[in-house]
Structure formats: C-alpha cells, structure tokens
Amino acid sequence: MVRAWPFVHLPLGGLMHTPHKGTVEAILGGLNALLTHKVHPRRRKLWVLNLRNTGQNFWSMWSGDMDHGSSSSLMAPVSEGSLRKGRPLTPLEVFIELCLKERTMDEFLTYLIRWIADRKDLIHLCCKKLMIESIPFKNIMKFLHLMPLDSLQEVQVNCIWQLSTLSLFAPLLGQMRSVQRLILSHSCVSAFEEQEQQVVQFTSQFLKLHHLRDLSMECPFFLRGCLDQILRCLKTGLENLTIMHCLLTESDLTHLSQCPSISQLKGLDLSGVVVTNFRSAVLQILLEKVAATVWELGLDECAILDSQLEAVLPALSLCFQLRSFSLRGNILSMAAMEKLLLHTAGLPNLSKEFYPAPRESYSSQGVLLQGRLAQLQAGLKEILKVLGQPRTIWLSSSPFFHCSDDIFYHMEPIAYHCNSSAFLMPLTKAFLEIKFRYSGIV
C-alpha cells in the first residue's frame, strides 16, 4: 500500500491502534522502495506519512489533501501541487507523537527512530507532541538525542525528577525552540535540594523558547524565592500560566505581577500556592494586571481568608472577560460569600463558578453538617434571586486541600433562572453596598 499509494498524504496512524514492530517493518519496507528510486521520485505521489493516531476515521482522510502540519487537526485542505512543485527530491515527511512510559523504550518506536536516523537525508521526522512518563532517564536521553527536537510544539513531563535530573534535561529543552506548550506535572523536587547553579541551568533555557504560550508547573519547589529567574527569561507573552502546589514567597508573586509576559494572560491557575502570610495587596495587584484579559482563574487550596478575599474583590469585579472562577478548598464565611456573589454579579461572561461551602457548614471538629449546609445553600439561592441574574454556582463540601472530585461534582448546584434577561437588575454603586442578612443563617 505504501509503495502504490496515489496521494500526497497517507494517514496510517488511524489504522494502527496498537502498532508493533512487524507493522512498522512492513511500512518501512515500502518506504525503502520509494526512497531508493525503485519508484522514480518525479512520479512519486507520497510525500507525507502520518503515523499519529488522531482518532479520526482513516476512510474520511484517505485521499490525503490535508494540513499535515497542524498539531490539532488534519482536516484543513492544502494543495497537492504546492507540496510537490519544485521539490521532487524533498525528504519524505514522517509525523509521529511520542509517549515514553514503559520501563524500557517501546520496540516499535525504537526501531522506527533508529531507521529514520540512518536515513536523515531522505526522511524528515516531525514530532509535534512528546509525553514523558515512567521511564529511566538514561533511556530518555538516548531516545531524544535521535530526534529532531526543534519540531516539538507540546512537551509534557509526568515524572518525579530531582533538580539535578531537571538540569540534565535542560539542554534538550533548549533545543525545543518551537515549543508552545510546556507542562511539568508532578515534578516533586526536594525542597532541601537548593543548588543555584542547577536552577539557573534550567531556567536559562526559557530564553530560547520564543514560541512558548502555555506554561504549567506542578510542585516545582525549587522555584521558591527564585520565580523571577524564569519570568525574566520569558521572551513571549503567555496565554496560560499554571503554578500549582508550590510554596512561593510574597516576593515571587510580586515579580509575577510585574512580569510583562502576563499582560495578555487568558488563563491563570495558582491552586495550592498558600497566600495566608502574604499582604492582601500582592494578590490584588496581580489580579489587576490580568483583569482585562483573563478568561479562567484558579485559586483553589490557597488558604485564602475572608480579609484577603474582600481585598481582591474590587479587582475581581473588573475581570469582564472571566468565564471560569474556582475558589475550592479555601475556608470562607457566609458573609464573605455574600460579598463575592455581589462583586461577580456584573461579570457578563462568567458561567462556571466553583466555591467552597461556607465555613459555618462545619462543626468545630470539621464535620460537615448537612442540615446547616442546606440552610446556607438556601440563603445563597436567595441572594442570587435578589441579584436577578440567571446563574449557577457549585459548592465543594470539603474544607480540606485536595478535596475529592467525586465529592465536589456530585453536589447539587445552586441555580437561579429568571424568565427574561430584560429583567436583569442593574448593579449600581449603591446596590453594591447592600448587606444581606438572613435570620438563623449568619
């Protein structure tokens, strides 16, 4: 099939749900015939072999006029003539996605990469997405040295790496110059491993990532007190920034609020960054910096108190683009919840609201009191009615960090639906000064 294929693009990944070495050998045998001129290059139709399993139906793609360069879709048409005209000896392009998750490198991938590396003048390997999971680091290094890293657009690392390991990975990261999305998940680096040279070796690589748009780091304890080292190396404006479960300092958040790269931020998630001992103004300034552009805001498990929430509410009320806001895992009173609903009522795009159950829902021992919670839920629904807007909020029933998604998502939402948007109550300055008090609730 490979030798006789009459179209520009062959999306074989859609036929290989579980690829293995035998399949690859058959494919590469066909390519050998094409590349060694058993099929004359000027008569050759096939220029793109796609081994990614995109989940799309092979038979709807088989004619091959597809945009093979897209990282998210293969359905945009391109001209077959433009792919062939004037470049009869251009290398054949092979597209793959890599997920390194076995104790030893997958036999299929190992054979494929080595075969292509031996024919690098005839074949151009394009890998847009790389995921690294449980695999010995020495194997990762050997594998990545065989690849053209400059084609990568998304890189996700789900490994528990020490800082010394991360610094060894750093030179490879610096070669991934086209990367747009970088995710470091569960990189639980020891908080006691403080080696400045290794931190600099890693953070300095961001100077080379000129296309970075999404940056996500979970448990990067080595960033405490030195977040500015990454921030000043960012040369592009970020669209999404996630820093989760990290003991940042007040100085770190100050540097973040001053960073030019967040001026167009659409997504900001600082869940698990405890701010209990920070001045309220620090978080307020940060929200003011992103207020004009932010769509999604996550402040779960930040140990935010009533006073800190109230201090940032004026800035929050200016986030007119906000679509999703989450405060789960913080311990807030009913009074603070009332003020929160008031200040967010004027946000026209806000449709996903995830909040903690009020502090009064729990006994002094931290036990959830279902009857009390039901009273408070009724009170919150009355507030929504007074505000006069169609709105749904979700409450988390756990006051503790890392609350169960099952507990959260199976709770009944608090919703208010009005008959017509014409009856929406305007939120004037005077209205924002109203204080809600419900007998028996607060």
Side-chain angles (χ1 to χ4, degrees):
M1 183 170 68
V2 172
R3 293 179 60 179
W5 192 252
F7 302 100
V8 172
H9 177 226
L10 176 56
L12 272 180
L15 296 180
M16 297 192 303
H17 299 291
T18 54
H20 54 84
K21 186 178 177 182
T23 305
V24 174
E25 288 177 341
I27 293 171
L28 301 185
L31 288 183
N32 257 333
L34 296 177
L35 299 174
T36 56
H37 304 311
K38 293 179 183 178
V39 175
H40 195 278
R42 292 187 180 275
R43 296 185 323 188
R44 190 173 103 204
K45 298 284 187 176
L46 180 61
W47 292 98
V48 178
L49 176 64
N50 193 337
L51 298 179
R52 298 178 296 182
N53 187 356
T54 63
Q56 294 174 329
N57 189 300
F58 171 85
W59 302 109
S60 67
M61 302 168 60
W62 64 273
S63 60
D65 258 0
M66 306 295 176
D67 177 14
H68 55 275
S70 170
S71 62
S72 59
S73 174
L74 294 174
M75 300 309 294
V78 296
S79 166
E80 180 175 335
S82 67
L83 285 172
R84 296 188 303 162
K85 184 178 179 180
R87 61 168 208 177
L89 297 179
T90 298
L92 184 142
E93 294 181 310
V94 177
F95 283 79
I96 63 172
E97 288 185 354
L98 293 181
C99 182
L100 309 180
K101 60 181 179 180
E102 304 296 335
R103 291 297 301 172
T104 58
M105 288 185 292
D106 185 273
E107 192 176 40
F108 154 70
L109 291 174
T110 303
Y111 183 82
L112 174 65
I113 297 297
R114 292 193 179 280
W115 189 91
I116 292 176
D118 292 339
R119 295 160 180 81
K120 58 184 177 181
D121 294 332
L122 300 173
I123 293 181
H124 179 224
L125 177 64
C126 294
C127 180
K128 302 291 185 182
K129 183 176 181 180
L130 169 67
M131 182 179 294
I132 301 174
E133 296 188 357
S134 299
I135 182 172
F137 186 72
K138 63 179 181 180
N139 288 356
I140 294 173
M141 296 291 283
K142 291 178 181 178
F143 202 65
L144 295 184
H145 278 305
L146 297 173
M147 290 184 53
L149 301 178
D150 57 350
S151 66
L152 286 167
Q153 294 182 1
E154 179 178 340
V155 176
Q156 182 169 350
V157 179
N158 297 323
C159 299
I160 301 177
W161 283 356
Q162 297 298 315
L163 181 56
S164 55
T165 304
L166 199 59
S167 66
L168 292 175
F169 178 73
L172 294 177
L173 175 63
Q175 297 177 43
M176 303 174 186
R177 301 178 186 271
S178 298
V179 122
Q180 298 178 25
R181 189 180 189 203
L182 176 61
I183 303 173
L184 300 176
S185 299
H186 305 104
S187 299
C188 299
V189 183
S190 171
F192 301 103
E193 187 182 8
E194 297 181 3
Q195 299 184 35
E196 184 177 352
Q197 183 177 356
Q198 293 177 338
V199 173
V200 172
Q201 186 173 352
F202 171 70
T203 58
S204 63
Q205 302 304 315
F206 286 81
L207 287 167
K208 304 173 184 177
L209 306 182
H210 297 293
H211 301 279
L212 187 64
R213 293 291 180 268
D214 295 354
L215 176 60
S216 176
M217 295 179 289
E218 185 173 356
C219 302
F221 296 130
F222 64 96
L223 285 183
R224 177 178 172 82
C226 58
L227 179 61
D228 62 306
Q229 291 189 28
I230 280 186
L231 297 177
R232 65 172 175 251
C233 291
L234 294 175
K235 298 303 179 184
T236 59
L238 294 176
E239 293 184 1
N240 296 286
L241 175 64
T242 298
I243 303 176
M244 297 180 63
H245 305 298
C246 178
L247 297 175
L248 296 181
T249 65
E250 183 174 305
S251 176
D252 288 325
L253 281 194
T254 299
H255 286 299
L256 180 59
S257 65
Q258 297 170 347
C259 177
S261 292
I262 70 167
S263 61
Q264 298 296 317
L265 210 60
K266 292 183 178 179
L268 176 62
D269 194 343
L270 297 177
S271 296
V273 176
V274 178
V275 299
T276 305
N277 298 320
F278 296 176
R279 289 177 295 116
S280 300
V282 177
L283 192 55
Q284 177 185 353
I285 293 171
L286 177 59
L287 290 187
E288 289 174 349
K289 181 66 177 290
V290 302
T293 60
V294 69
W295 288 16
E296 298 181 358
L297 179 61
L299 296 174
D300 295 339
E301 307 176 357
C302 290
I304 292 175
L305 305 175
D306 284 7
S307 58
Q308 291 171 310
L309 177 63
E310 292 176 17
V312 303
L313 286 179
L316 184 63
S317 66
L318 298 176
C319 299
F320 293 112
Q321 303 298 322
L322 194 63
R323 290 156 168 75
S324 175
F325 180 40
S326 184
L327 270 175
R328 293 175 294 173
N330 297 288
I331 303 178
L332 302 172
S333 69
M334 182 66 176
M337 296 287 293
E338 292 176 1
K339 295 176 182 178
L340 172 62
L341 294 180
L342 277 169
H343 280 79
T344 53
L347 303 181
N349 299 305
L350 186 58
S351 59
K352 297 179 180 179
E353 302 178 68
F354 311 122
Y355 301 135
R359 184 176 61 214
E360 292 86 350
S361 304
Y362 303 91
S363 69
S364 57
Q365 290 77 34
V367 178
L368 180 67
L369 305 174
Q370 293 291 347
R372 188 66 169 164
L373 176 60
Q375 280 186 305
L376 295 168
Q377 286 176 318
L380 292 172
K381 189 166 185 176
E382 286 301 313
I383 295 174
L384 297 182
K385 288 181 180 180
V386 172
L387 293 173
Q389 293 177 269
R391 196 167 173 185
T392 301
I393 63 175
W394 291 83
L395 297 185
S396 166
S397 63
S398 174
F400 305 108
F401 290 175
H402 310 296
C403 55
S404 167
D405 285 342
D406 288 338
I407 293 176
F408 172 72
Y409 283 110
H410 288 105
M411 287 197 69
E412 190 73 20
I414 302 173
Y416 169 71
H417 305 285
C418 61
N419 294 327
S420 170
S421 60
F423 296 101
L424 295 181
M425 180 179 294
L427 294 174
T428 64
K429 181 178 180 181
F431 182 70
L432 288 176
E433 295 176 354
I434 294 177
K435 296 181 179 180
F436 293 92
R437 291 294 181 265
Y438 294 92
S439 176
I441 298 178
V442 294

